[in-house]
């Protein structure tokens, strides 16, 4: 009996559009625009490395049953999503479908490598894909998602337009607030683990002087760490900005040798318990450097 | 004068040449953007086995398979298993090409280059536009039977294939020409059902060709092809950060094994066979990079037919002895893998055969079942594209020609390196 109830479950969801999204931030943004007309299915967990999502078979079912798929793009999902899309065998979620959206195509990406070669580590040939951490890009993405939803669900396009206006109005007020909060941080030097805050750093005029990973995806050698300690002692950066999914062991060692603090920087919704939506994500990020 | 002429011609050529170099998007019939995704994978190993190469090719798993390891000659072709020889081995180079064909299909080609030649390992098209969770694959491909069969050698957790797979199905597993239909149920719990119609020319277990001459001298008549049918169901669910994947598989086909040209013990088997499998994977993730996984697979088979032995091909028609044969055999492997982070992983594997009954004319020939193997491995990945693995095997499943059980110890140092397109991982 219970099994049949499980079988019938998706029928109950037919009334709304089921939009699968790769990461929680896309889910939250899409929900803000889609409102009550859509259901969001988030594939990746917010507290895990967005590059390394476990391709669990349950995700195949989520893709199979979706009416559309929105991805970050910029090769962030290259290691886990293509196989799931193939296995889901859903024409609505395949690359190039009208109901498939690659957000990276609508953003001007920065740090595009001049030389695409894996001797430079696990690089992203189209540029740094962590663009959602500049709140100004969220405005562009909101517009992109509004137009996407309107194109696949014309009957509700007025509702999407209305939700979009409300969201933009609210978010612009927040952006002003965050700009004010960050105005005295211009030129502040920081160290990162992986350059996943590139857009945040650019938006607020911070200066990333080095990363703990010598090259993207390559663990630090002791020689690299020694050089880093020397550099920190010379340049005196404010802190080490650290993501939540890599071990902080190396950062703690560097911190103990140089007396600069480690500041944990959430990259997505649910990456820390207190980050429940987009505004709380940027509230946290813009307050993190206050100490 | 000559010098001036020469240099002016040179200059003119250079000007022409510089005009010729247009950016890609301005070259009228430029097609380079349509290049498929390409990757090349190297698998090489250093092997130290406490038995000579000449000897290892003559070892057998009694009643199940003969000459699993080493280099063998078949009909003038040389056939080499992975990690065949003591010392250095170039197991293969795998070239993968894949791309969309049109809005309705994708195509993938996987080619194995070895020192003995090239094999089309897989070459298939896959539908992308059917919907209803349905996809069709056609061409030559690895069957999705069980857990391991569809995977390529380089994505295994150990440097060698589990014994039960290799001895029942050969080193390529069920790798056949045919059609595959898969359907994923519209449920929130993953449920996939698949059906395959395959040609059925597996070297170790299936087959449909006439044995001997097609005229009245034949030992056994052909069976109608396609002659192999495979079906399976797989399901998976998550409990927090633990994923459970389970499957049942069934294959039914005809058997035509022609070993009539073998020097040592010429025989042939003709009949019908079936193979079934149960697989279970439990994988727990501690974080994005670290996991513990327990994976196990059981395979059972039954071959019923006629065994032709004492074959004499020097007279026409051939003479032979025919006996009724029923082989009922099963085996299992279980492996535990712990990945500490992106770089380090280690694992252990236990394999054994559970049943090895061969009934000849109603008499059980009592084949041994104390056939087991233990493996330990540790691997280091410098990046996602390069893996170095050290493995130790103790194999108690092999017997020599005198019928004595061997205990073969092997150390394998394997290098698996890939360049080109980034292959997405499957679970």
């Amino acid at each position: 009996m219970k099994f049949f109830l499980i079988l019938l479950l998706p029928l109950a969801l037919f009334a709304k559009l089921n939009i699968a999204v790769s990461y929680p931030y896309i889910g939250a943004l899409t929900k803000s625009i889609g409102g009550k007309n859509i259901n969001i299915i988030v594939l990746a967990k917010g507290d895990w490395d967005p590059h390394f999502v476990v391709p669990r078979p349950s995700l195949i079912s989520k893709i199979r049953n979706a009416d559309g798929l929105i991805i970050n793009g910029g090769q962030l999902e290259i290691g886990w999503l293509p196989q799931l899309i193939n296995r889901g065998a859903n024409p609505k979620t395949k690359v190039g479908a009208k109901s498939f959206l690659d957000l990276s195509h609508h953003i001007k990406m920065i740090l595009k490598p001049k030389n695409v070669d894996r001797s430079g580590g696990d690089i992203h040939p189209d540029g740094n894909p962590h663009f959602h951490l500049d709140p100004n890009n969220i405005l562009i993405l909101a517009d992109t998602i509004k137009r996407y939803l309107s194109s696949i669900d014309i009957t509700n396009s007025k509702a999407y337009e209305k939700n979009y206006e409300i969201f933009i109005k609210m978010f612009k007020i927040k952006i002003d607030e965050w700009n004010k909060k960050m105005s005295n941080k211009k030129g502040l030097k920081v160290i990162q683990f992986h350059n996943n805050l590139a857009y945040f750093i650019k938006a607020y005029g911070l200066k990333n002087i080095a990363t703990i990973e010598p090259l993207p995806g390559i663990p630090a050698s002791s020689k690299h760490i020694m050089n880093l300690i020397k550099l920190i002692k010379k340049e005196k950066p404010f802190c080490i900005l650290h993501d939540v999914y890599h071990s902080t062991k190396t950062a703690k060692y560097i911190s103990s040798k140089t007396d600069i603090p480690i500041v944990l920087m959430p990259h997505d919704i649910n990456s820390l318990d207190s980050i429940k939506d987009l505004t709380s994500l940027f509230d946290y990020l813009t307050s993190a450097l206050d100490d | 004068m000559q010098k001036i002429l020469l240099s002016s011609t040179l200059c003119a050529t250079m000007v022409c040449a510089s005009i010729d170099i247009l950016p890609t998007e301005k070259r009228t019939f430029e097609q380079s953007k349509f290049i498929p995704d390409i990757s090349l994978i190297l698998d090489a190993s250093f092997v130290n086995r406490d038995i000579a190469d000449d000897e290892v090719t003559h070892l057998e798993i009694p009643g199940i398979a003969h000459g699993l390891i080493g280099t063998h000659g078949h009909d003038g072709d040389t056939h080499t298993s992975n990690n065949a020889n003591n010392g250095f081995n170039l197991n293969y180079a795998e070239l993968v090409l894949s791309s969309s064909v049109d809005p309705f299909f994708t195509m993938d080609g996987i080619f194995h280059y070895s020192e003995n030649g090239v094999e089309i390992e897989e070459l298939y098209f896959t539908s992308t536009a059917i919907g209803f969770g349905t996809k069709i694959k056609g061409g030559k491909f690895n069957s999705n039977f069980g857990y391991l069969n569809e995977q390529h050698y380089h994505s295994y957790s150990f440097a060698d294939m589990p014994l039960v797979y290799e001895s029942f199905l050969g080193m390529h597993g069920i790798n056949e020409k045919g059609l595959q239909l898969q359907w994923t149920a519209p449920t929130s719990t993953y449920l996939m059902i698949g059906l395959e119609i395959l040609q059925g020319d597996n070297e170790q277990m299936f087959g449909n060709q006439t044995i001997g001459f097609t005229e009245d001298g034949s030992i056994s008549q052909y069976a109608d092809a396609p002659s192999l049918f495979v079906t399976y169901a797989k399901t998976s669910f998550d409990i927090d950060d633990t994923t459970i994947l389970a499957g049942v598989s069934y294959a039914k086909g005809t058997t035509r094994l022609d070993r009539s040209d073998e020097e040592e013990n010429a025989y042939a088997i003709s009949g019908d066979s079936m193979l079934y499998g149960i697989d279970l994977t439990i994988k727990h993730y501690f974080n994005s990079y670290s996991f513990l996984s327990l994976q196990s697979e059981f395979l059972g088979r039954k071959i019923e037919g006629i065994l032709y032995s004492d074959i004499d091909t020097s007279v026409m028609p051939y003479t032979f002895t025919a006996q009724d044969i029923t082989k009922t055999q099963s085996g299992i492997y279980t492996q535990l893998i712990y990945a500490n982070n992106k770089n380090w992983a280690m694992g252990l594997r236990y394999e054994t055969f559970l049943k090895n009954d061969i009934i000849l004319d109603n008499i059980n020939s009592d084949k041994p079942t104390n056939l087991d193997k233990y493996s330990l491995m540790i691997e280091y990945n410098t990046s996602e594209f390069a893996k170095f693995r050290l493995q130790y095997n103790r194999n108690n499943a092999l017997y020599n020609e005198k019928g004595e059980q061997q205990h073969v110890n092997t150390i394998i140092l394997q290098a698996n390196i890939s360049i080109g397109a980034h292959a997405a991982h499957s679970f």
Side-chain angles (χ1 to χ4, degrees):
Chain A
M1 190 59 210
K2 213 171 179 182
F3 184 66
F4 281 102
L5 283 177
I6 294 167
L7 276 176
L8 289 170
L9 195 67
L11 294 174
L13 304 174
F14 276 154
K16 296 181 177 183
L17 271 183
N18 290 307
I19 306 293
V21 302
S22 54
Y23 300 110
Y25 88 86
I26 305 173
L29 187 54
T30 309
K31 188 69 190 167
S32 301
I33 315 290
K36 61 178 178 18
N37 297 312
I38 62 161
N39 272 315
I40 296 293
I41 304 131
V42 181
L43 302 177
K45 279 171 57 116
D47 55 344
W48 284 13
D49 187 338
H51 304 80
F52 294 90
V53 175
V54 184
R56 306 171 139 186
S58 59
L59 302 183
I60 299 169
S61 291
K62 287 178 175 165
I63 289 173
R64 187 249 183 259
N65 298 324
D67 297 308
L69 175 63
I70 309 179
I71 72 164
N72 183 88
Q75 303 218 342
L76 191 55
E77 292 101 342
I78 193 97
W80 61 278
L81 193 55
Q83 188 90 311
L84 297 174
I85 293 175
N86 287 347
R87 290 188 182 260
N90 182 351
K92 290 179 187 168
T93 57
K94 72 173 179 180
V95 179
K98 200 180 157 211
S99 41
F100 174 88
L101 176 64
D102 181 336
L103 294 175
S104 70
H105 293 168
H106 301 267
I107 294 283
K108 202 171 153 37
M109 293 209 279
I110 60 170
L111 300 172
K112 187 174 168 159
K114 287 192 189 77
N115 189 9
V116 176
D117 190 291
R118 290 212 179 102
S119 61
D122 199 358
I123 51 162
H124 297 289
D126 304 324
N128 188 310
H130 310 286
F131 46 75
H132 73 280
L133 292 174
D134 176 351
N136 299 296
N137 281 343
I138 295 291
L139 300 176
I140 301 169
L141 297 179
D143 177 59
T144 305
I145 290 169
K146 176 200 73 183
R147 280 187 280 143
Y148 161 82
L149 288 177
S150 303
S151 75
I152 60 169
D153 180 24
I154 302 159
T155 47
N156 289 313
S157 58
K158 280 216 174 87
Y160 300 138
E161 186 67 46
K162 200 177 143 209
N163 293 341
Y164 167 76
E165 296 297 343
I166 295 168
F167 176 80
I168 288 292
K169 209 172 155 194
M170 177 280 289
F171 212 72
K172 278 185 172 160
I173 295 168
K174 291 300 289 183
I175 286 178
D176 287 342
E177 196 182 297
W178 295 324
N179 283 342
K180 231 171 268 166
K181 254 162 81 181
M182 291 296 287
S183 58
N184 61 346
K185 304 287 189 304
K186 277 208 177 64
L188 209 62
K189 287 178 190 166
V190 293
I191 302 272
Q192 285 184 88
F193 186 88
H194 174 87
N195 196 4
N196 66 341
L197 288 166
Y199 290 83
F200 179 83
I201 282 169
K202 187 169 176 262
Y204 296 111
L206 306 177
K207 213 172 152 215
N208 181 55
I209 60 165
T211 56
I212 294 177
E213 282 182 334
L215 294 166
I218 305 292
S221 64
S222 52
K223 193 178 158 213
H224 177 75
I225 294 168
M226 288 307 140
N227 288 338
L228 212 55
I229 290 171
K230 261 185 236 159
L231 181 80
I232 291 170
K233 283 181 175 160
K234 190 172 149 247
E235 296 273 333
K236 303 205 165 35
F238 180 68
C239 63
I240 299 170
L241 299 180
H242 209 289
D243 59 64
V244 301
Y245 44 84
H246 282 109
S247 158
T248 52
K249 209 174 117 190
T250 313
K252 273 181 184 150
Y253 175 76
I254 295 169
S255 166
S256 73
K257 294 283 171 203
T258 55
D259 276 339
I260 63 167
I262 300 168
V263 178
L264 219 50
M265 296 291 266
H267 66 290
D268 205 336
I269 293 161
N270 296 332
S271 59
L272 293 175
D273 286 340
S274 60
I275 313 294
K276 290 290 170 216
D277 50 33
L278 280 167
T279 49
S280 59
L281 174 65
F282 287 105
D283 279 341
Y284 190 103
L285 290 172
T286 51
S287 311
L289 298 168
D290 278 347
D291 315 320
Chain B
M1 186 61 204
Q2 233 176 354
K3 223 176 188 177
I4 296 166
L5 259 176
L6 195 72
S7 55
S8 58
T9 325
L10 206 68
C11 283
T13 330
M14 278 170 76
V15 169
C16 281
S18 67
I19 290 164
D20 271 341
I21 302 167
L22 285 169
T24 345
E25 56 279 9
K26 286 193 180 154
R27 293 179 209 163
T28 310
F29 295 116
E30 176 66 35
Q31 302 226 35
S32 63
K33 295 244 165 100
F34 291 110
I35 286 181
D37 290 343
I38 303 172
S39 60
L40 181 69
I41 299 161
L42 156 82
D43 195 277
S45 62
F46 178 83
V47 173
N48 192 331
R49 195 178 279 124
D50 63 356
I51 186 165
D53 295 345
D54 291 344
E55 230 173 298
V56 82
T57 56
H58 296 285
L59 298 183
E60 62 167 356
I61 303 178
I64 300 174
H66 184 264
L68 276 186
I69 313 165
T71 305
H72 305 270
H74 279 298
D75 311 323
D77 292 340
T78 310
H79 192 82
T80 306
S81 70
N82 289 324
N83 311 311
N85 301 316
N86 271 305
F88 292 104
N89 293 272
L90 178 62
N91 291 327
Y92 61 83
E94 182 176 296
L95 179 70
V96 184
L97 302 176
S98 49
S99 174
S100 300
V101 177
D102 62 15
F104 314 105
F105 294 104
T106 58
M107 188 161 94
D108 296 82
I110 293 128
F111 307 93
H112 268 200
Y113 290 76
S114 74
E115 287 166 306
N116 302 319
V118 186
E119 278 179 4
I120 300 176
E121 182 75 8
E122 295 193 86
L123 183 60
Y124 57 83
F125 61 88
T126 312
S127 71
T128 58
I130 297 175
F132 309 103
T134 306
K135 76 185 165 89
I136 291 173
K137 197 189 242 192
K140 187 184 181 190
F141 52 86
N142 284 348
S143 165
N144 208 177
F145 181 101
Y147 176 82
L148 204 68
N149 195 79
E150 197 192 46
Q151 292 187 19
H152 288 143
Y153 175 72
H154 55 85
S155 52
Y156 295 172
S157 303
F158 289 84
D160 50 1
M161 200 180 201
L163 274 180
V164 64
Y165 260 102
E166 199 167 8
S167 62
F168 282 8
L169 297 164
M171 64 183 281
H172 300 287
I174 304 177
N175 174 257
E176 296 270 354
K177 297 175 281 286
L179 272 177
Q180 178 191 71
L181 174 73
Q182 290 190 338
W183 177 72
T184 307
T187 48
S188 52
T189 305
Y190 175 71
L191 175 67
M192 190 271 278
I193 293 166
L195 198 67
E196 295 170 4
I197 301 171
L198 306 170
Q199 184 67 8
D201 36 38
N202 180 280
E203 57 188 39
Q204 289 286 85
M205 183 160 168
F206 301 107
N208 46 40
Q209 306 276 327
T210 300
I211 301 173
F213 276 108
T214 33
E215 304 301 314
D216 32 278
S218 72
I219 297 172
S220 167
Q221 288 289 328
Y222 68 92
D224 287 331
S227 65
L228 179 58
F229 304 90
V230 178
T231 182
Y232 40 81
K234 295 163 201 287
T235 185
S236 173
F237 55 92
D238 305 325
I239 303 166
D240 293 326
D241 291 335
T242 305
T243 296
I244 293 157
L245 169 67
V248 287
S249 307
Y250 178 76
K252 188 172 171 35
T254 57
T255 294
R256 295 287 185 278
L257 294 183
D258 186 1
R259 303 283 191 270
S260 59
D261 59 347
E262 261 171 44
E263 286 165 26
E264 292 162 21
N265 185 17
Y267 72 97
I269 294 177
S270 168
D272 296 311
S273 14
M274 65 117 160
L275 176 75
Y276 56 97
I278 302 166
D279 63 272
L280 177 69
T281 307
I282 304 170
K283 210 166 185 176
H284 176 78
Y285 276 83
F286 302 103
N287 56 46
S288 295
Y289 323 109
S290 176
F291 66 81
L292 182 69
S293 103
L294 179 72
Q295 197 247 313
S296 187
E297 195 161 356
F298 166 89
L299 291 189
R301 72 170 178 182
K302 190 170 190 179
I303 301 175
E304 263 178 308
I306 298 166
L307 170 73
Y308 303 92
S309 50
D310 308 326
I311 299 169
D312 184 356
T313 52
S314 62
V315 289
M316 277 300 232
Y318 297 170
T319 60
F320 50 77
T321 316
Q323 288 169 290
D324 284 339
I325 186 170
T326 305
K327 282 189 176 197
T328 315
Q329 296 161 326
S330 64
I332 192 167
Y333 74 89
T334 300
Q335 61 189 40
L336 188 70
I337 308 290
Y338 172 69
N340 186 46
N341 52 35
K342 272 189 282 185
N343 303 112
W344 289 101
M346 58 208 79
L348 52 105
R349 180 179 64 186
Y350 170 70
E351 303 173 64
T352 189
F353 287 90
L354 302 169
K355 199 168 186 154
N356 191 8
D357 289 348
I358 298 181
I359 297 168
L360 280 172
D361 283 343
N362 298 323
I363 299 156
N364 196 335
S365 60
D366 268 340
K367 294 287 179 187
T369 52
N370 59 337
L371 308 164
D372 54 17
K373 182 178 166 188
Y374 301 83
S375 309
L376 272 171
M377 75 88 189
I378 183 159
E379 66 179 43
Y380 183 76
N381 298 273
T382 55
S383 68
E384 275 197 273
F385 308 96
K387 183 194 294 297
F388 298 91
R389 179 186 283 139
L390 181 67
Q391 181 174 327
Y392 166 73
N393 288 341
R394 182 168 174 84
N395 189 343
N396 303 320
L398 299 170
Y399 279 62
N400 67 11
E401 284 159 317
K402 290 179 211 145
E404 295 162 347
Q405 188 171 22
Q406 305 293 299
H407 305 281
V408 182
N409 297 299
T410 312
I411 288 170
I412 304 171
L413 181 60
Q414 180 196 16
N416 194 282
I417 317 286
S418 66
I419 53 172
H422 190 304
H425 312 280
S426 61
F427 188 76

